[in-house]
Amino acid sequence: MLAKQTPLTKQMLSELLRASSSKPKQLKKIHAVVIRTGFSEKNSLLTQLLENLVLVGDMCYARQVFDEMPKPRIFLWNTLFKGYVRNQLPFESVLLYKKMRDLGVRPDEFTYPFVVKAISQLGVLPCGVSLHAHVLKNGFECLGIVATELVMMYMKFGELSSAEFLFESMQVKDLVAWNAFIAVCVQTGNSAIALEYFNKMCADAVQFDSFTVVSMLSACGQLGSLDIGEEIYDRARKEEIECNIIVENARLDMHLKCGSTEAARVLFDDMKQRNVVSWSTMIVGYAMNGDSGEALALFTMMQNEGLRPNYVTFLGVLSACSHAGLVNEGKRYFSLMVRLNDKNLEPRKEHYACMVDLLGRSGLLEEAYEFIKKMRVEPDTGIWGALLGACAVHRDMILGQKVADVLVETAPDIGSYHVLLSNIYAAAGKWDCVDKVRSKMRKLGTKKVAAYSSVEFDGKIHFFNRGDISHPQSKAIYEKLDEILKKIRNMGYVPDTGSVFHDVEMEEKESSLSHHSEKLAIAFGLINGRAGHPIRVMKNLRTCDDCHVFSKFVSRLTSREIIMRDKNRFHHFRNGICSCKEFW
Ligand code: ZN
Ligand code: ZN
């Protein structure tokens, strides 16, 4: 293609670059030719090359090309910043920003959104604060996109008051600004704040649009607030806001996230228009809710209709297999995914994690370990974490220790892995090892994420921590809890003290168990909820063995359905049985 005899023009090289835009090796060859022919004096070819390298994610080479440029324009600096953000290389981004300042290059309005995003990825608050000062000094804070990124950064750091302050002092709060803020709240998992601001927005008489509705439906999905979500949807209809397929998909997703699978299926069947997102949402939703059969049946139906699945669809299919312990089916779908040989369907880390989860939970721990070692992508903490979780379930101390060693190396600051490891030791009665892990956690400053549960009642979300006494109805809640505990003990419930963290006295174990947040939430639901309606509890972490047994007994005692969504999946407790069939 690049024969020596052919005299190459700049135009030809530019076309070659365009044709090779997704081929890193070709790009490097062309670069060599560009240098040989002396065209490198002309920045336009190098600009094109740099853009292509950023697109294919070869940031190392992109940087080399950038450094060769005599005086790169601000556009090229921004291209590199964009590439660093896309490829999750925040540290390089920060160093580049420093270089930019050292050279006295003035950033423009496109620079800061990328740099702020990089700081968010880096996760270092003081850097964020000093960058915010630069933004202010350079006069870019009032720009919507920069301000939004700053708000997002503060939200990610958990600095909610700074984020809110920034939003409140933006110069113009038009619909775009409100939508951006609400969307950021939802994306960072602050759905209760999103709801609060939606109400403020309505009080300010700002007319919302379909973007707002989509954000709010997904907020309600996160919060498990089906009633509030439906109210917002109804309002949107009444106010003739366009409820396009994106809105309808969001509504479907909300129903599934609230455990309302039957209603979701009616919505799905009635949809005038369905796209791959609708199908995937339904399949993932069924999987999460433990209806693996329905999920797989829907996948077959989708294929029969000739619709091409995407990577989310496969995630749903694999997690359906994982939740039902369908090892052979899982393997079959995974190899189908590989066989389809579609660039967009190459298994991602999430798919590998699903397979590890499936093998691990089914007790095939060694096979899962071998699977990880043979993976085509670098295993991340999520994948190792899935195996560690399985080791905890199957109480395999030896492999558990091996996996924990890898995790502690790669993610020393993630407290949940340390907790899992110490649970494995606790189950084996190795209290000296438990102590060691705990003191290591203290030394590293790793914190356990505080567990909480929430219930929606009367248009409000009620949150409970373990042993919480801050709720106005606290007294009644604890009385109700005592009453239930007494009754279910007579039915044969025995507290599972094995899931308590440390070797404390038996009585203390029982009382700390009985005040877990989900138990308080269920008691609250029993006091306030309408008879015959399910009690929906959302839990931010995985529910413990004891709360699982407790919920089964309560569903039987009270003839009430309890729908609990924990970090991993849904549990529908009906008449003493859980939909997860103990596979979680
Ligand atoms: Zn519990
Ligand atoms: Zn369950």
Side-chain angles (χ1 to χ4, degrees), residues 428-479:
K430 298 235 168 205
W431 301 113
D432 50 329
C433 294
V434 174
D435 280 339
K436 262 186 220 151
V437 178
R438 294 195 84 188
S439 75
K440 195 167 185 181
M441 280 170 77
R442 269 194 299 273
K443 227 172 42 205
L444 288 166
T446 50
K447 272 183 261 157
K448 233 179 127 167
V449 180
Y452 67 80
S453 297
S454 64
V455 183
E456 177 199 47
F457 172 67
D458 207 14
K460 270 201 214 92
I461 323 287
H462 299 257
F463 288 94
F464 298 92
N465 295 315
R466 191 180 76 183
D468 204 337
I469 47 163
S470 62
H471 196 275
Q473 282 179 292
S474 249
K475 195 167 168 279
I477 290 170
Y478 280 95
E479 278 168 12

Side-chain angles (χ1 to χ4, degrees), residues 483-494 553 557:
E483 176 201 320
I484 306 169
L485 282 165
K486 217 175 271 163
K487 284 187 185 159
I488 62 175
R489 268 173 200 275
N490 289 335
M491 291 164 71
Y493 162 75
V494 181
F553 273 101
L557 171 76

Side-chain angles (χ1 to χ4, degrees), residues 217-231:
L217 291 176
S218 102
C220 290
Q222 273 181 19
L223 291 164
S225 320
L226 190 56
D227 294 348
I228 300 176
E230 281 293 276
E231 212 180 284

Side-chain angles (χ1 to χ4, degrees), residues 544-552 571 573 578 580 582 584:
C544 80
D545 291 344
D546 183 66
C547 288
H548 196 259
V549 176
F550 169 88
S551 309
K552 283 199 275 191
H571 303 270
F573 301 97
C578 182
C580 75
E582 309 308 302
W584 47 289

Side-chain angles (χ1 to χ4, degrees), residues 141-144 147-148 166-180 206:
E141 197 195 39
C142 56
L143 277 170
T148 305
L166 198 62
F167 176 70
E168 297 287 358
S169 57
M170 272 182 207
Q171 284 188 336
V172 198
K173 272 198 281 180
D174 55 4
L175 177 63
V176 176
W178 282 100
N179 274 349
V206 180

